[in-house]
Structure formats: C-alpha cells, structure tokens
Amino acid sequence: MNEMKFAQEVYVAAFERIIRRLWILCIILILALLTTNAAWIWYESQFEEVSTTTTIDAEQNTKGGGNNTIVGGDYGTAESKNNTNH
C-alpha cells in the first residue's frame, strides 16, 4: 500500500513540474506574440502616406471635347479651349 502511495506522489510531483513548465511556455508565447505585434505596428508607422497630383498640359487637334490618351493608358475627357498663340 505504501508503494502505491509513493508511486502516486512521484506521478503528482512529475505532473506538477510539467504543468509549471507549460504555464511558463504559455507566458513566453504570449510575450512573443505581443512583442511581434508591437514590432509590426512600429514598422508600419514608419511610413507616411504621400499623395501626389500630376498636371498635364496637352493639345487636342479636334474641335470640341474628345478623349485624350495620356502616357500610362489613363483616359480622360478634355475641355475645348481656344489656345491661339500668335
């Protein structure tokens, strides 16, 4: 009977050590997750949004409105202006 009690105590002690190690592992993994998320937030905050506006002067050969093809394949309509440079 004492042998069974001793064997149970050995198993309980071993399981207590295993459970303690698993808790330490959980804490380490949570800290690693928080650290990597903080690192990504810091990395992404290093960039700033830059918006640019491009102005293109173009001449149109036809009278009235028409479609202009701009370099890069963008299409837009043009307003007619009388640009006579004499």
Side-chain angles (χ1 to χ4, degrees):
M1 192 83 119
N2 286 336
E3 293 175 12
M4 283 189 82
K5 187 175 182 183
F6 178 73
Q8 288 176 346
E9 289 178 7
V10 170
Y11 285 128
V12 167
F15 286 138
E16 286 175 352
R17 287 192 304 267
I18 291 171
I19 290 171
R20 184 169 188 257
R21 290 176 188 159
L22 289 175
W23 271 110
I24 292 171
L25 178 64
C26 286
I27 292 170
I28 290 171
L29 289 175
I30 290 170
L31 290 175
L33 177 67
L34 294 175
T35 303
T36 55
N37 284 340
W40 275 111
I41 290 170
W42 174 79
Y43 174 75
E44 289 293 329
S45 68
Q46 300 299 310
F47 303 104
E48 63 181 54
E49 278 190 40
V50 177
S51 61
T52 59
T53 303
T54 304
T55 303
I56 299 172
D57 293 327
E59 292 182 15
Q60 185 174 342
N61 292 334
T62 62
K63 289 190 174 192
N67 288 332
N68 291 332
T69 303
I70 309 298
V71 176
D74 294 333
Y75 291 96
T77 58
E79 295 179 17
S80 289
K81 288 185 182 179
N82 189 1
N83 293 333
T84 49
N85 295 328
H86 292 281

